[in-house]
Amino acid sequence: MKTHKVEQLVIATMGFFWCFLMWFSTAAFSPSIAAHYHLSIKALGLLASSAIWMAPVGRVVAGWASDRFGAPRTFAVILTVCGLVSIASAFTQDYSLLFAERVIVAIAGVSFVVGIQHVAQWFNADEIGTAEGLYAGTGNVGAGMGALVLPRLFGTDYHTAFLWLGLIALVVAAWYLLRGRAARNAEQIALTRRRSDFRSTAFVWSRYIAVALMLAYAMSFGLEIAMNAWLPGYFTHGFHGAILALGFSSVAGLQIAAGTFAAVESFCASLFRPFSGFMSDLFQRNGWTPLPFIARTLPYAPRLHWLGIALILITLAMGGLTFAGMTGSLHASVLTLVALGVFISFGTGGTFALVPLLFPDRPGTAAGFIGGISTAAGIIYPLVFSASTNIHMGYLTVALYMFVPFILFYFWAARHERRPEEHGIFTEALAVEKA
Amino acid sequence: MHMPAQSSAKGPFEPWYKYGVAFLSFEMAVAIAVSAYSLFMTFHGLGGFPGKH
């Protein structure tokens, strides 16, 4: 079968887009579900949070599976299972069963790392940033589309929505199986498969540079999902008077204003992500290495510098959020938040422009570790934000006590001028070449 | 196996790349337009992000 890498990119992006649409479809209909089953606020919160329960462990397994069995088969299994359960949930009348089914459908969110592995197997080193950015950024839009389009198309009829989402998932799964190819050649498929054993997985998990990239992704994507949950409440409480002054007097009005500020940050973080991949390619192409300490002679050194810049910008923007909040300026706070959204995209795009180059033989395993474990940060940051005595101080606390150490560790792990992936714990015992 | 070292020479990109850059530019323009519209509406007390009216 003749194919082209752009076709593989389109298939992966469509698969990811549809998985993200399914992932967040429960949230899009949560008011309708709550009204139908008379759910309490606590039960509604549980339903909303269940979307990310499966992500940390699920992404690790999915990443390994994509190396072992190939991305097309892994993606098709995810789409098929989630599609069938989504169809089943369309006919469910018992809430406990519906809740369990929607938790299973939320497994669709683990597909991110499978597509990262798929794209990594097809694109050249000089274009990998843009390719991965287009895949991840465009696919991410599926989450926003769920909130914007599904309620308009289906109203409160979530049963029909879940049915159609599931049916189309089965069609996308069949397309992925028919046209998807795991890699450019059989040798690459065989090599990746050989490197998907336990020893190789332990090797990736114990590399300092992999841990540094995982922390970088926790600073970017982990922060993005944390802010999605935190910001509406932050603006409602932290800028109550300023929002009332804008003319939003009812509770629903406050939610609209606060939700808008949160949505804009998330929207920018998704849609600027391909640009970040392009910037990583640009740094690489021009050989820009402006930061101290970080390696300058590695084949992908400029990409390490671009990610380092992104992490510094995220940290500065977090401090800026605290400063803007303390001044009481809603406008300054929102503008800083927009900047933070763009900087977060620099971090997410910059991280996955590097992963396939650092671990070319284990892209799925590495993507699973880096893209999976980091999502736990989405649970941790809001806890720190809410623990602060002043609601505005949480950002500075996270920046100083978490992000600054993360950046220092990143600089330390990325300082090696030769094979940074060789540095870690148990290196001799885990060396695959000698096994 | 390690990725072969990249040449720092600026060779031409493959044909698909310019379409990729055009598409990501379009995505950025959408992000800027929707954000500006949403914030304008909100700061004037008229509404919010699409879908949150």
Side-chain angles (χ1 to χ4, degrees), chain A residues 32-322:
Chain A
S32 310
I33 295 171
H36 188 263
Y37 290 100
H38 308 291
L39 298 182
S40 64
I41 293 291
K42 193 176 172 185
L44 191 59
L46 197 65
L47 182 66
S49 73
S50 67
I52 59 170
W53 289 359
M54 306 302 287
V57 175
R59 285 187 169 185
V60 169
V61 175
W64 167 82
S66 59
D67 279 349
R68 187 76 174 175
F69 306 110
R73 289 179 188 166
T74 309
F75 225 126
V77 167
I78 293 170
L79 280 161
T80 304
V81 169
C82 294
L84 288 174
V85 177
S86 183
I87 292 168
S89 71
F91 299 100
T92 300
Q93 295 300 326
D94 175 67
Y95 178 69
S96 299
L97 181 58
L98 178 71
F99 181 86
E101 286 169 339
R102 297 316 296 177
V103 169
I104 295 172
V105 173
I107 290 174
V110 310
S111 63
F112 164 71
V113 298
V114 183
I116 286 284
Q117 195 268 6
H118 190 185
V119 175
Q121 297 287 65
W122 277 93
F123 283 82
N124 301 328
D126 64 332
E127 59 192 13
I128 195 74
T130 299
E132 294 285 16
L134 283 169
Y135 158 76
T138 312
N140 257 339
V141 176
M145 290 289 279
L148 290 176
V149 176
L150 291 178
R152 284 178 161 79
L153 270 180
F154 297 97
T156 57
D157 185 8
Y158 61 88
H159 294 100
T160 309
F162 293 165
L163 177 65
W164 277 105
L165 285 168
L167 287 172
I168 295 174
L170 297 181
V171 174
V172 179
W175 180 35
Y176 218 126
L177 268 184
L178 280 173
R179 295 296 305 175
R181 290 292 173 271
R184 273 184 286 205
N185 53 58
E187 291 76 25
Q188 185 65 26
I189 295 172
L191 179 65
T192 312
R193 184 179 170 82
R194 274 204 307 279
R195 295 289 165 81
S196 62
D197 58 354
F198 175 77
R199 179 192 293 265
S200 196
T201 302
F203 178 83
V204 170
W205 282 56
S206 59
R207 301 303 91 194
Y208 297 136
I209 192 67
V211 174
L213 289 178
M214 186 273 288
L215 295 175
Y217 207 58
M219 279 182 66
S220 46
F221 184 71
L223 181 62
E224 183 184 337
I225 56 176
M227 293 299 240
N228 286 346
W230 166 255
L231 283 174
Y234 167 70
F235 279 106
T236 304
H237 291 95
F239 292 93
H240 190 83
I243 293 176
L244 287 179
L246 294 175
F248 297 97
S249 52
S250 64
V251 173
L254 281 170
Q255 284 181 2
I256 286 172
T260 296
F261 301 140
V264 165
E265 179 267 332
S266 179
F267 201 63
C268 288
S270 289
L271 283 181
F272 272 83
R273 186 170 177 158
F275 172 72
S276 170
F278 168 75
M279 282 298 293
S280 182
D281 287 351
L282 195 67
F283 263 62
Q284 182 64 41
R285 200 168 176 76
N286 291 296
W288 292 334
T289 54
L291 296 177
F293 307 118
I294 295 179
R296 292 168 189 269
T297 57
L298 283 168
Y300 42 79
R303 296 187 190 276
L304 288 168
H305 285 253
W306 167 242
L307 180 56
I309 290 169
L311 300 183
I312 291 169
L313 288 173
I314 290 170
T315 307
L316 291 175
M318 289 288 275
L321 264 186
T322 292

